[in-house]
Structure formats: structure tokens, C-alpha cells
Amino acid sequence: MWCPKRLWLITGVGLLVLSAHTASAQGAGFKYKASDREGNTKYLITATKATPSPTGVMTLQNARLEVYGDGKVESTITAASCDYDRGNHKLNATGDVLIVREGVRISGQGLTWDDETKQVIIKDKAKVQIADGKIVRKKQAKP
């Protein structure tokens, strides 16, 4: 029996394949890979659960975003819950987030990631640690 949610997901996957992106659901999991024109992976998003909306925004649970450069993972962003707008290639989270790059860990609350502008904005309580474990900067919420 076809249910509207599954029909929408199948339609969404078909559109993604046509735009050189791939998406798949493995059981309750979710996987979305974006590639450049040459076929190189730009980023990969995985989640334990994805809930689609008619606007194209996916609500992801236990999400992980891997950003690639020169064929390898350059940074990883994790969030317990976030919204991914695949049409605009943006990810938004309101809860705890963690960004990891070689030698640097950045944690905070709330995040906006934009693939087009290559910007990541931590919205609150940003804490940056370098490889030796020292805190570089801590931003507190405004009263």
C-alpha cells in the first residue's frame, strides 16, 4: 500500500538524482551526498531519522555533516536535531552542536551552515578548543 510520505520521498529521491545529488534511506536512517560537477563529494549528511516536509526541508535526528575538500573529510558537524533545506543547501540547528576539524573543536548551541557561502555560524555559547585543550574563546548568551 502506498502512503503519501513514501511517495513524496521516492519523488524527492528522483529529483535529487537528476540534480547530481544522491539520497538514500537505510531502515530508519538517512544519507544524502552532494557532489560538484566533476563528481567529487562536497558534503555528506547522515542521520538516524529524517522527516520530510512538503517545502523540501528535512528534520533530521542524530545528524552528522561531513564537509569534504581534496577528496577527504575536512570538517564534521554533529547535532542531535536539525533542519536541512536541500533546495538551498543549508542546515539549521537549535540545540547543542559540535564542529570538529583537525586540531580544533567548536561547540555551542544553535548553528547555521550554508554550503553556497561556505559559512558556519554558531548562534550561542560558542566554545573553541585547540589541539592542546586550551579554550580560545567562549561567547555567552546576551541577557
Side-chain angles (χ1 to χ4, degrees):
M1 178 167 110
W2 288 95
C3 78
K5 249 185 193 174
R6 285 197 179 154
L7 183 59
W8 189 89
L9 270 175
I10 292 169
T11 302
V13 170
L15 292 172
L16 292 175
V17 171
L18 290 175
S19 67
H21 293 77
T22 59
S24 65
Q26 299 170 351
F30 175 81
K31 185 176 182 179
Y32 180 85
K33 181 174 113 175
S35 301
D36 62 19
R37 295 178 198 258
E38 290 79 37
N40 301 311
T41 301
K42 291 171 50 178
Y43 60 90
L44 172 68
I45 299 176
T46 57
T48 57
K49 182 178 179 185
T51 306
S53 75
T55 62
V57 175
M58 302 286 283
T59 299
L60 306 176
Q61 301 299 316
N62 300 313
R64 178 181 175 93
L65 167 65
E66 296 176 346
V67 180
Y68 285 73
D70 297 324
K72 63 182 182 176
V73 176
E74 287 187 340
S75 60
T76 303
I77 298 172
T78 55
S81 178
C82 63
D83 293 325
Y84 175 61
D85 181 345
R86 64 182 175 205
N88 293 309
H89 307 284
K90 294 181 182 182
L91 186 129
N92 291 294
T94 56
D96 291 341
V97 295
L98 177 65
I99 302 170
V100 178
R101 287 187 65 109
E102 186 176 343
V104 180
R105 292 174 53 93
I106 307 167
S107 60
Q109 289 186 333
L111 173 137
T112 300
W113 171 81
D114 187 329
D115 179 50
E116 187 175 312
T117 62
K118 307 297 184 217
Q119 288 186 334
V120 177
I121 298 170
I122 300 244
K123 297 176 183 176
D124 198 15
K125 298 182 182 175
K127 180 179 175 182
V128 179
Q129 293 180 309
I130 55 174
D132 65 6
K134 293 181 182 176
I135 295 175
V136 176
R137 180 177 176 207
K138 188 174 184 178
K139 181 181 174 185
Q140 295 294 329
K142 294 180 181 177

